[in-house]
Every structure is written in C-alpha cells, then in structure tokens.
Amino acid sequence: DGGITQSPKYLFRKEGQNVTLSCEQNLNHDAMYWYRQDPGQGLRLIYYSQIVNDFQKGDIAEGYSVSREKKESFPLTVTSAQKNPTAFYLCASILQGGTGELFFGEGSRLTVL
Amino acid sequence: RKEVEQDPGPFNVPEGATVAFNCTYSNSASQSFFWYRQDCRKEPKLLMSVYSSGNEDGRFTAQLNRASQYISLLIRDSKLSDSATYLCVVNPRGPSGTYKYIFGTGTRLKVLA
C-alpha cells in the first residue's frame, strides 16, 4: 500500500543534540512538507519542497534543516539552535496538479529532556 | 488577524444532535478549502474538500461563502465516533502554483452518550 512513513514515532533527546526525523513516501508525490504541531495550536509550516534538490523555508524554519536528494525522501533535522523543539512533527506530501489533498504520515513526537 | 480562524470549542453535543462549525479566512484570493479530522495524538486525515457549490458526503455537509470569506461544516445525527478535532485548511495558491496550506487551530467536538 502506498503511503508516508515517518520514523521514529517517539524520540527523546537531550538539550544540545541534533536529531533527524525520517520521512519517506511511495506515492510518487512531487511536493513534501514538514509541519510542527503544539498543543492548542494549528499546524505550522517548517519547510517544504516541490522538486528534488530544492526546498523553501516555511513560517518557522529557524533551528531546522532539510534535504531533498530523492523524490521519495525528505528528512528533517532539528538542530540544537531550535529553542523549543518538543512538539509533534508531521510530514505530508501532495501530488501537484491533483485534487489538492495533503497526505500525512503518522507523525513523530519529539521530547527534549 | 489570523489567516485562518476557528472557534476552538470544545463543542459538547449529545448523540444524534446536529452541530455546525465555521471557519473564516483572511486572504480573499484563496483557491482551495478543506476540512480535515484529527483524532487525539494522530495525524490529520481529509474529511472533505469544500467546493464553491457546496457538497455533501453522508451526514457531512460543507459550504463555502466567498463573499463573507468563511467555510462551514455541518454534521447531522452526531455519532460518538465523530468526537475529534476538525481542522479548517485553506490554500492561498501562491506564486508558481505553490501549495502552501494554512491550517486553523481546530475545533474540538465531543459527542456525549
């Protein structure tokens, strides 16, 4: 079955450590997104990529980095520069020119100790 | 003013009730509109797209009012399983057809037995 796979589902890290969240999709979708969700808040866009080897900052990109070396993969690195990284991270993808539906992975819950 | 605004709720309704949510958006050039459902600690899933003429899917009806810049979701004959957070999502369709979705903070619905 096609879909988006995020890993790990739960992650704990110490302050000052970088961590990379994986996002892989086999839907042949062009665009991929990373969102952050905090309690009581909507999803906020971190980074997005419309094609391989190209990506743009979203609204809250500071302290994060991404790469898009393959169409299927869009990993997110949460760096030590991110002041408040504890959150629920969601990866999504969309087929450009399609219905406009965003497909989401199951999310990664990051807790900084 | 937020780009997409929703009443956070919670809306507590008895089983069988009809409940309606509204969502307002600020960008009059917005092109696409959606309602997503999000269960606690899970990823959002598409409930329905919202078309200009309005659309219905079983017990769910979505409406778009471009003049007043709001969309609505009506749920008839509420079920316990409808308890979730309902996210309003707007796509302003930026330059070069960028798919940059804006999420509301969500409206919590709790259906009571």
Side-chain angles (χ1 to χ4, degrees):
Chain A
D1 284 341
I4 301 178
T5 302
Q6 287 188 240
S7 63
K9 199 165 184 178
Y10 300 95
L11 185 61
F12 298 87
R13 83 153 211 221
K14 293 182 179 179
E15 276 191 42
Q17 289 180 334
N18 291 356
V19 62
T20 296
L21 307 180
S22 168
C23 177
E24 304 277 330
Q25 53 99 358
N26 60 3
L27 299 166
N28 199 32
H29 284 177
D30 309 293
M32 297 186 73
Y33 301 77
W34 274 105
Y35 290 93
R36 168 183 173 138
Q37 188 175 35
D38 295 282
Q41 295 198 37
L43 277 66
R44 292 184 290 166
L45 182 62
I46 305 172
Y47 268 98
Y48 64 102
S49 166
Q50 292 184 272
I51 56 172
V52 174
N53 293 322
D54 187 49
F55 47 83
Q56 286 78 42
K57 292 182 179 180
D59 301 316
I60 55 165
E62 186 175 348
Y64 299 98
S65 66
V66 293
S67 63
R68 186 89 186 273
E69 296 176 3
K70 298 186 299 182
K71 186 175 185 178
E72 304 79 25
S73 178
F74 191 41
L76 173 75
T77 297
V78 185
T79 75
S80 56
Q82 168 49 235
K83 299 298 179 197
N84 185 19
T86 295
F88 186 42
Y89 291 89
L90 286 157
C91 179
S93 70
I94 184 172
L95 180 66
Q96 298 205 72
T99 62
E101 179 183 355
L102 266 176
F103 289 80
F104 284 90
E106 293 187 340
S108 293
R109 198 166 294 276
L110 172 63
T111 302
V112 174
L113 305 171
Chain B
R1 182 186 173 186
K2 288 183 182 177
E3 291 183 85
V4 176
E5 288 200 77
Q6 295 182 253
D7 182 340
F11 284 53
N12 295 325
V13 302
E15 261 190 299
T18 295
V19 61
F21 310 135
N22 277 350
C23 165
T24 58
Y25 60 94
S26 60
N27 186 341
S28 60
S30 295
Q31 301 286 321
S32 308
F33 309 88
F34 307 88
W35 284 103
Y36 276 73
R37 171 193 169 127
Q38 186 175 27
D39 293 294
C40 189
R41 301 175 76 84
K42 299 283 191 183
E43 75 276 21
K45 292 184 179 176
L46 180 68
L47 178 66
M48 56 199 304
S49 302
V50 186
Y51 302 122
S52 297
S53 55
N55 46 302
E56 189 174 306
D57 183 2
R59 297 181 294 108
F60 300 85
T61 301
Q63 298 277 354
L64 167 62
N65 185 318
R66 284 194 183 272
S68 301
Q69 293 181 211
Y70 75 85
I71 66 172
S72 64
L73 177 68
L74 181 79
I75 305 175
R76 288 181 298 279
D77 188 23
S78 298
K79 312 289 185 193
L80 294 174
S81 57
D82 293 334
S83 297
T85 296
Y86 291 84
L87 303 174
C88 171
V89 185
V90 175
N91 177 8
R93 194 66 68 90
S96 305
T98 305
Y99 286 78
K100 192 176 176 187
Y101 294 82
I102 310 296
F103 285 76
T105 54
T107 297
R108 277 182 55 208
L109 171 66
K110 190 167 184 181
V111 180
L112 308 171

